[in-house]
Amino acid sequence: MTLARLLGSAIAPPVLDDGEEQALETLDDVIADVVAPLATEHDDEGRYPTRAVEALKGCGILGLAVPAGFGGIGASHSASLHAQVRLAVADSSVAQVYKVHDELVREIFGYCSDDLKPHLAALILEENAMLGLAVAEAGRTVADPFTTVALEQEDGSHVISGQKIYTTGSAEADYVAVWGVNPERFTPEKPFFALQLNLVAKDTPGMTVHRDWDTLGQRATDSGSISFENVHVGAEWNASIPGRAPLPHSGVRFEAGFAAVNIGIGIGALQAAVPFVNEHSRPWPSAEVDNAADDPMVQRTTGELVADLAAAHELTMRCGSLIDAFERGEISRTDLAIPIYAARSAADRAGLAAAQGIFGLMGTRSVRRPLGFDRWWRNVRTLSLHDPVEWKHAEIGRHVLTGWDPPPGIYT
């Protein structure tokens, strides 16, 4: 095992097969050489992390989720979650961009036509194509989730019109996965039957990336708005078959990924703080020590933050095994969803606590703006707002108290 350890021996090394381990070892090299050194610059610019993504393309990690039958690694969900954690330790924006790509690959192979699968695999494995997602819309309601339409033509192609927000990974993606509604297929009894996913190649006429992302954190995801004006997409780029999507575990898969990224941010914050504590922080006089790292209060606080991160990490990695088990038909959806809700809650709290708590470890000297330690808190605070975790608490409580089973949904 040559993977870099996270937080010393507090977090156990992952159990991976040879192909997965080799892929993550290569990813670790790219993280150290490219992703981590560029993280501060990408955060300052607040735009798509072009050079980091190019490095990801070159290391083969984009094919982690491509099924082995189509030439990919066919990696477990655990391996993908480990990759997301490790990327987030260095740059959580890059981790989220990768998260979207990895999840889309798994999703599309689950509900697209057999004709698209080998073509999609070739795009990813041979052309290093990166996928971005355009699904969310401003002002949507439960009764009317989408205004973007995908009008089906006689030849099976679609014409897309509408506007999307929170388009993570799409600003410079090679293909944007766009959800729209085909009104000809809509019925109140089967609303999801009208949903249509299409892959739109970058620079397609009528698709405009507005580059209007300006946020507190996760700045380099460049998750701004994209508009579509009569964008024609050939039938060969239909990425879903009506009635197959969304998958029953799509929403909880996304939640597991958010947990992984938030854990990575917390780990990254602590890793960044350790050298500062040893080299620059002053111990409190009552500690009667010369180095802040020997201050018992600093040690106690560090241990508490690490323990919570280690526990949340273990919960989240278990989610990967549960998703694989669900896809093999071995567990119920409820047995998958409730543990993922718990992991998401633990990850949010541990990540936020660590990103805030490092300032107490490092002291007043650490708040100088040029040092950039605020990046960790800004990122985890922003990402933790992606659907309120309090609803996860309510759903866990409802299940335990009443035996309620959470139904499939975008965020449930």
Side-chain angles (χ1 to χ4, degrees):
M1 173 64 65
T2 58
L3 288 174
R5 297 296 294 265
L6 303 175
L7 300 181
S9 295
I11 293 178
V15 178
L16 306 169
D17 67 28
D18 291 342
E20 293 170 338
E21 183 172 335
Q22 183 176 355
L24 291 190
E25 288 175 1
T26 302
L27 177 63
D28 268 356
D29 291 338
V30 170
I31 290 172
D33 295 342
V34 181
V35 178
L38 291 174
T40 299
E41 180 181 335
H42 285 152
D43 177 69
D44 289 342
E45 292 175 349
R47 287 295 172 257
Y48 191 87
T50 306
R51 286 176 288 173
V53 171
E54 286 300 319
L56 293 185
K57 290 182 176 183
C59 77
I61 197 69
L62 299 191
L64 195 68
V66 175
F70 292 93
I73 296 175
S76 64
H77 281 84
S78 295
S80 288
L81 292 174
H82 277 293
Q84 292 166 36
V85 169
R86 304 181 87 83
L87 280 166
V89 169
D91 189 332
S92 56
S93 288
V94 176
Q96 192 180 355
V97 169
Y98 172 75
K99 167 189 181 297
V100 167
H101 168 88
D102 186 85
E103 289 168 349
L104 275 171
V105 172
R106 294 181 182 276
E107 292 282 310
I108 293 172
F109 271 98
Y111 47 57
C112 73
S113 69
D114 290 340
D115 291 339
L116 180 60
K117 291 177 182 178
H119 188 34
L120 179 61
L123 287 176
I124 296 168
L125 299 175
E126 299 172 17
E127 301 181 23
N128 293 319
M130 172 68 84
L131 306 183
L133 180 63
V135 57
E137 297 185 11
R140 72 186 189 188
T141 66
V142 174
D144 184 20
F146 295 117
T147 59
T148 297
V149 296
L151 299 175
E152 188 170 5
Q153 309 300 296
E154 291 184 1
D155 61 356
S157 63
H158 290 86
V159 175
I160 303 172
S161 295
Q163 182 155 327
K164 298 291 188 178
I165 60 173
Y166 301 146
T167 58
T168 299
S170 292
E172 295 182 17
D174 297 293
Y175 292 87
V176 179
V178 184
W179 281 106
V181 172
N182 180 356
E184 295 180 355
R185 294 185 181 274
F186 180 81
T187 62
E189 296 78 20
K190 296 181 178 180
F192 286 136
F193 196 76
L195 289 180
Q196 178 63 52
L197 184 68
N198 288 287
L199 294 177
V200 182
K202 65 179 180 180
D203 302 324
T204 296
M207 181 173 72
T208 302
V209 178
H210 295 287
R211 311 308 286 258
D212 51 2
W213 187 241
D214 186 12
T215 56
L216 180 75
Q218 292 300 94
R219 290 171 45 76
T221 61
D222 211 357
S223 304
S225 61
I226 298 180
S227 57
F228 302 86
E229 186 174 353
N230 296 323
V231 175
H232 185 266
V233 184
E236 68 274 19
W237 298 110
N238 296 350
S240 67
I241 292 177
R244 289 190 183 178
L247 299 174
H249 61 306
S250 293
V252 291
R253 193 207 314 266
F254 302 157
E255 294 295 341
F258 289 131
V261 176
N262 282 338
I263 291 166
I265 296 172
I267 293 171
L270 275 175
Q271 287 190 350
V274 167
F276 192 94
V277 169
N278 277 279
E279 299 167 14
H280 302 290
S281 297
R282 293 186 298 177
W284 192 246
S286 300
E288 298 182 346
V289 295
D290 295 327
N291 192 306
D294 297 320
D295 186 322
M297 292 300 103
V298 173
Q299 293 177 342
R300 192 210 72 81
T301 302
T302 299
E304 182 177 33
L305 296 175
V306 170
D308 288 347
L309 283 169
H313 181 274
E314 189 68 19
L315 281 175
T316 300
M317 292 307 109
R318 180 171 175 264
C319 292
S321 299
L322 290 174
I323 297 172
D324 289 332
F326 177 80
E327 291 187 344
R328 293 192 298 266
E330 296 172 358
I331 62 173
S332 71
R333 189 186 181 281
T334 298
D335 289 341
L336 171 67
I338 297 300
I340 287 180
Y341 294 171
R344 171 70 197 278
S345 172
D348 278 23
R349 286 182 291 171
L352 283 164
Q356 175 178 303
I358 59 171
F359 293 99
L361 303 178
M362 297 184 293
T364 308
R365 299 181 183 191
S366 66
V367 300
R368 291 180 59 243
R369 184 176 296 181
L371 296 175
F373 285 113
D374 62 304
R375 170 167 64 94
W376 308 100
W377 182 86
R378 288 188 289 104
N379 287 337
V380 71
R381 177 68 277 183
T382 299
L383 193 59
S384 66
L385 297 175
H386 198 299
D387 59 284
V389 73
E390 294 302 339
W391 273 101
K392 303 297 175 290
H393 297 153
E395 288 159 359
I396 294 170
R398 184 178 178 185
H399 167 74
V400 171
L401 291 169
T402 70
W404 170 79
D405 294 319
I410 296 177
Y411 298 119
T412 56

